[in-house]
Amino acid sequence: MALSKEVYKEFEDVVGEENICDDPAIMPAYFATEFAAVILPKDTAKVQAIVKLCNKHKLKFRAISTGWTGVFPKNTILLDLRRMNRIIEINEKNMYAVVEPYVISAELQAELFKRGLNFCIKGAGSNCSAMLRGHGHLDQTTSADDRNHLAIEWVTPEGEIVRLGSLGSSDEWFCGDGPGPSLRAIISSAVPPGVTPGVFTKAAIKLYHWPGPSKLPVVGKSPRYTLREIPANMMARYYSFPSVEKMWQAELKIGESEIAYELMGFNASMVASNITTCNEEEEEVFRRISQEVQGPGFFVIIAGNSPEDFAYKKKVLEKIVSDADGKSLKSVEDPEIEGILLCQCVRISASIRETFRAGGAFNSIPIMGQRDLTIKWAIGAGEAKKPLIKKGLIVDDGGAFFGWGVEQGHLGKTEIFCRFDPLNPEAKKAVEEWRKEQCARAVNERYFADLLMAKIDESGPSLSNYHLWWRKIVKELDPNSVSPEGGPLV
Amino acid sequence: MIAHEKLSDIVGAANVSCERTTLDEYSRDMSFVNTVRPACVVKPRNAADIKQLVKLANEILTPLVPVSSGSPHFRGDTVPSIGGAVIVDLSKMKRIIKVDRPRRVAIVEPGVTFGELIPTAEKEGLRLNMPLLPRKSKAVIGSLLEREPVIMPKYQWDISDPLACLEVIFGTGDEFRTGQAAGPGTVEEQWAVGGVQKAPYGPGIASWHRLIQGAQGTMGIVTWASMRCEILPSLEEPFVVGSSNPNTLLELAYWLIRLRMVNECFILNNTNLAAIFAKKWPDDYQDIKAALPAWTLFYTAAGYEYFPEERVSAYVKNISDITQRLGVEAAKAVGGVSANEILKAVQRPSEEPYWKLRYKGGCEDIFFLTINDKLGVLIEAMNDLAIKFGYPVIDMGVYIQPIVQGTGCHCEFNLFYDPGNPGELNRVRKLSISAVKALMAKGAFFSRPYGESARMILNRDAATVAVLKKFKKIFDPNNVMNPGKVCF
Ligand SMILES: Cc1cc2nc3c(=O)[nH]c(=O)nc-3n(C[C@H](O)[C@H](O)[C@H](O)COP(=O)(O)OP(=O)(O)OC[C@H]3O[C@@H](n4cnc5c(N)ncnc54)[C@H](O)[C@@H]3O)c2cc1C
C-alpha cells in the first residue's frame, strides 16, 4: 500500500525530499519487505514528528538502527536512523557513553580505547549499532543484554518523548531507573518478535576498563589481519578438555576467580573458521585441530592491569586448566594465530566467518541465562545434529555447540547452530525440524523456552503467560496500533 | 470496612489482628508522614493466602499495604496513605528456600532478615552484597525491592542487582514469575533438571523485576525472591584512607572500582563513622569523632580460592601507586577505628540499637543519586541549608556509596535528632523538605521517592509518570495496592 500523495507530503515536510522514499525499485534494497515508505529522520524531534503523523494516519512504523535483523510486517513505514550517528558524550569519570542509534560499535570502541575504556559489543560484530542490547565475546567483563543501559531517550508509540531515570529528572545520563519503578523494564530493543514499542533515540551505555593499548597494532590485509605483537600483559589461548564436565569445571573456576578478560566457549570448528580465510582452508584446519583437541574447549583472553596482575591471572589460569586436565591448542600459541584471534575477538569481527561462510546460511538456538543448565541441554542438541552431518545436509562441526560466561560466570550463554546451503531445500527442512524438536525438548524437559523464532503466543503459556501482560502493555502504550509486534525471526 | 471473618478464613484467626495497640504500631513510623491507622493487620502464611487476600481486596475495594521488615520503619512507605487499609505483614513467611553455592544464588521469602540469611549463606561459602549496616529487623527482600545501594559496587553490574528473580501476586490477583523463574514448568521442576532462578531478564524482552522494584508495593506483593550471592573470600585485607577532601577519596574510589581491585568500598564522614563505632555514649562518640579525619574511604582487597596472598599483594601494590599519585595513604586504622573492625561490622546487620538511632533516638535520611563531579556542590548546598535551619553541620552524618561499578554514587545525609524534642523534630522536618527541593534544583536525582517529598520529586518527570500510570492500570486496576505511594 503506497502512501497517498498528501500523506507522503506531510512526511516530506518533516524530513525534506532527500530523506524519504517510496520508490518500489529502491526500497527492496533494504529488506525483502514491501514498505509503505522509508524515512530518514535526523534527530529526536523529527522522529517524534514522524511518529505523531503515523498516529494521525494510523500507519505502522518500525525503526532500525544498523538494520541487521530486518523482520517487518508488510506496509510498515521504515525509519532508517542512519543519520542519527553521533557519539554525544564519553564520560570517563562516570564510566558511560551516550550514543545515537547509528553509532556503530567499531567507531565507539576506537574512541574508547584511546581513553582506556571498552564496552559490550554484540557478537554479531563491530558494524552493528552500539546502542541496542546484545551479548558477545566480551561479556565476561562487560556484562550483556539489557544490563548495560543507563538513561535512555525514548519516543513512545504515541510520539511522546520520555527521558528515563536521571535524564528525565536532572538531565544526567548516569542512571536509567526511577523515580519509582524502572521503565527500563520494557525499553531495551531486541530481535523480533519482542521489540520495544516506539523508538530509542539516544542511550547511555556502561563502559568498562580496557587494559590494552590505545590502538591495537594491527598488521596484514583483510581478511587476514593479525597483530604485530601481542600487547603487554595480554595473552590468548585455546584450551580443550577431556569432557564437557571438565570444561565446565574450568570455566566455573575461571569465572569465580575473576581472571579472564574474555572467555569464549568456541568449539574447534569455530576456531577453524576464525583463523582461516576460505572454506577449503577452514575444512583442512578443522580436520587438523580436531585431531589436536581432546574434547570440548574454550578460548580465553587474560589481560592484566599491571605486570603483577597479569602474572597472577596467568598463574591461576594455568592452575585451573591443569586441575581440569585441560590442554592448550598449540596452533593458538603461535603469536600470529594468537594475534588473529585476539584482534577478532576484541574488535568483534568473528561472527560472519563462523555463521555464514561455510554453508551460506545458518539456523540457530541461542539461550541466555544459566550456563551449566543450557550446556546440559546442548549436549543432546549436538548429538541430534550428527545424523544431519552424516547425511551431508549440514556442515560438519562434530556436533558442536558453543557459549560463554557472562559477568564472571554469574550468567552465561549457550548457542548451537547448523550451517547449511540455503539453496538445498532438503537441508533447510531438516535443519528446521532439528530446531523444532530441540526447542520442544527444551520446554518439555524444563530447560528453557525458545523466544527467537516462536510466536509469543506459543512460548507465553509456558512462561508465566508473559505474552498476555506484554500485549496489555503494548496496547496501553500504543492505542492506535502503529508499533507492530513483528513476528518470529524467520 | 473489610470483614474480620473473611480475613480469618484466609489466613486463620490467629493471624488477623484488629487490636488498637497493634494497629497503632503500623499507623506511623520514624518518618514524618501522617499517622493513618489501618483497619486490620494480617499475617499470611504463604503465597496462596496472599493471592486470596488480593482477590478479596479487589472484591471489596480495600487497600493492602505489604510490609516485609519489622519495625522501626523509616520511609513512610509502609504506613497507609488512606484509612481502612489492611496491612499485609509478611514477617511470618520466613523460609530460606534455597542457597546454591555453584550457581551463587539464594532464594528467600519476604520475612527473612539479613541476620537470618547470612549464616546460612556462609555455611555454603557465599555472602550477600549488603546495604550498609541495615537494621536488625530489615528484610532482605525489602532491601532488594527498594534498590538500596550495596557496599560492593564492583559486583553491582546493574542497579537492579543483587535481585535476580521473583514471584509476585499482581494487584489483579494473578501470579507471575520474573526472569528465569517464569518457566517452563514450576520452580520445583526447574530445580529437578538443574535450573535455578538466577537470570533476571525476561521472559520476552521485558525485565519484569524492574517494574516491581522501586514500586513500594504498588504493583503487587512479592512472595519470594532470589538474589545473586558472591563467594566468601579466603583472605581479606581491609584498608582506610582519611582525607579532608571527599573529592580526593572519590577519585581514589573511582580507580579502585574501575580496575576492579576492591570489594567493599564506600566513604563515610566522621559523624557517621563515630556513630557506628562509638561504644560508650556520649564520651566515646565525641572522642572518636574528634580523632577522625573529616572523610574516610573504606575498602577491602580480597583473594579467593587460588593464591589469595599473591592476589592481594598485587592489588595492594597497584593501589599504592594510585594513593601516592593522589597524595593520600592507605592505613589499617583511622582515629582509633580499625579497618578490621569496620570490615567485621559491615558484613553483618547493625548491632542493636540500630546505629542511626544511637546518637539521639531519631534519624531522618535524605538520599539521592548523582555523578562524582556534582557531589562536592551538593554536599556544600546541604551544609548551607543545615546552617540556615540551625541544624549543626557537625552532627550531620554523610554516607557516599559508589554504585553500579562506578557509574554514579548514592549520597545520603543522616540527620540525627531527638524525637522527644519538638523543636529539634520540627527543624529536621523542615530542613528535610527544603533539602530535597534545593538538592533537586542542583541536579540531585531522587530515584527512590518516599514520603512527603515523593510528589515533588515525581512532578519533575511528568513523562515517566504518565507511562508508570499506564502500567499501574494494568497490574493494579482497582488501585488496591498501597494507594497513595509513588505517583499512584
Ligand atoms: C550473523 C549474526 C550473528 C549475530 N550474533 C549475535 C550475537 O552474538 N549477539 C547478539 O546479541 N546478537 C547477535 N545477532 C543479532 C544482533 O544482535 C542483531 O542483529 C543486532 O543487535 C542488530 O543490531 P542492529 O542495530 O543492526 O539492529 P536492527 O536490525 O536495526 O534492530 C533490531 C530490532 O530492534 C528494533 N530497533 C532498532 N533500532 C531501534 C530503535 N532505535 N528504536 C526502537 N527499536 C529499534 C528494530 O525494529 C528491530 O526489530 C546476530 C545476528 C546475525 C545476523
Side-chain angles (χ1 to χ4, degrees), chain B residues 179-235:
Chain B
Q180 188 180 352
T186 62
V187 165
E188 289 76 15
E189 284 173 329
Q190 293 181 345
W191 291 341
V193 68
V196 289
Q197 291 68 44
K198 176 89 183 267
Y201 32 68
I205 65 150
S207 284
W208 306 84
H209 65 300
R210 297 187 199 280
L211 274 181
I212 317 297
Q213 264 186 324
Q216 299 175 24
T218 57
M219 296 289 175
I221 302 182
V222 172
T223 58
W224 57 256
S226 59
M227 70 186 295
R228 60 167 62 193
C229 301
E230 305 302 334
I231 298 166
L232 267 183
S234 59
L235 176 69

Side-chain angles (χ1 to χ4, degrees), chain A residues 89 91 93-96 166 170-175, chain B residues 247 250 368-378 400 403 406-411 443-445:
Chain A
E89 181 188 359
N91 191 319
K93 242 183 158 175
N94 299 287
M95 307 280 280
Y96 65 78
S166 53
S170 55
D171 218 16
E172 295 283 354
W173 287 94
F174 72 98
C175 177
Chain B
N247 287 324
L250 266 181
F368 53 85
L369 302 179
T370 186
I371 50 172
N372 289 352
D373 330 41
K374 276 194 179 164
L375 196 64
V377 172
L378 293 168
I400 300 167
I403 58 162
T407 54
C409 57
H410 161 95
C411 176
F445 174 46

Side-chain angles (χ1 to χ4, degrees), chain B residues 385-449:
Chain B
L385 267 177
I387 292 167
K388 192 172 145 200
F389 279 82
Y391 184 91
V393 172
I394 51 159
D395 271 2
M396 185 168 75
V398 188
Y399 162 44
I400 300 167
Q401 180 61 66
I403 58 162
V404 197
Q405 300 183 321
T407 54
C409 57
H410 161 95
C411 176
E412 180 172 317
F413 299 114
N414 307 108
L415 303 172
F416 304 110
Y417 68 95
D418 175 2
N421 177 337
E424 219 170 277
L425 185 139
N426 238 335
R427 196 175 317 139
V428 166
R429 180 182 186 150
K430 284 191 186 142
L431 169 57
S432 148
I433 292 175
S434 297
V436 172
K437 208 171 187 175
L439 293 167
M440 222 159 41
K442 290 200 178 300
F445 174 46
F446 288 80
S447 73
R448 299 158 55 206

Side-chain angles (χ1 to χ4, degrees), chain A residues 62-63 65-69 81 122-124 129 132 134-135 190 195 198 200:
Chain A
R62 172 78 66 76
S65 291
T66 40
W68 270 54
T69 48
L81 303 178
K122 290 173 276 297
S129 166
L132 299 186
H135 44 252
V195 285
F200 267 100

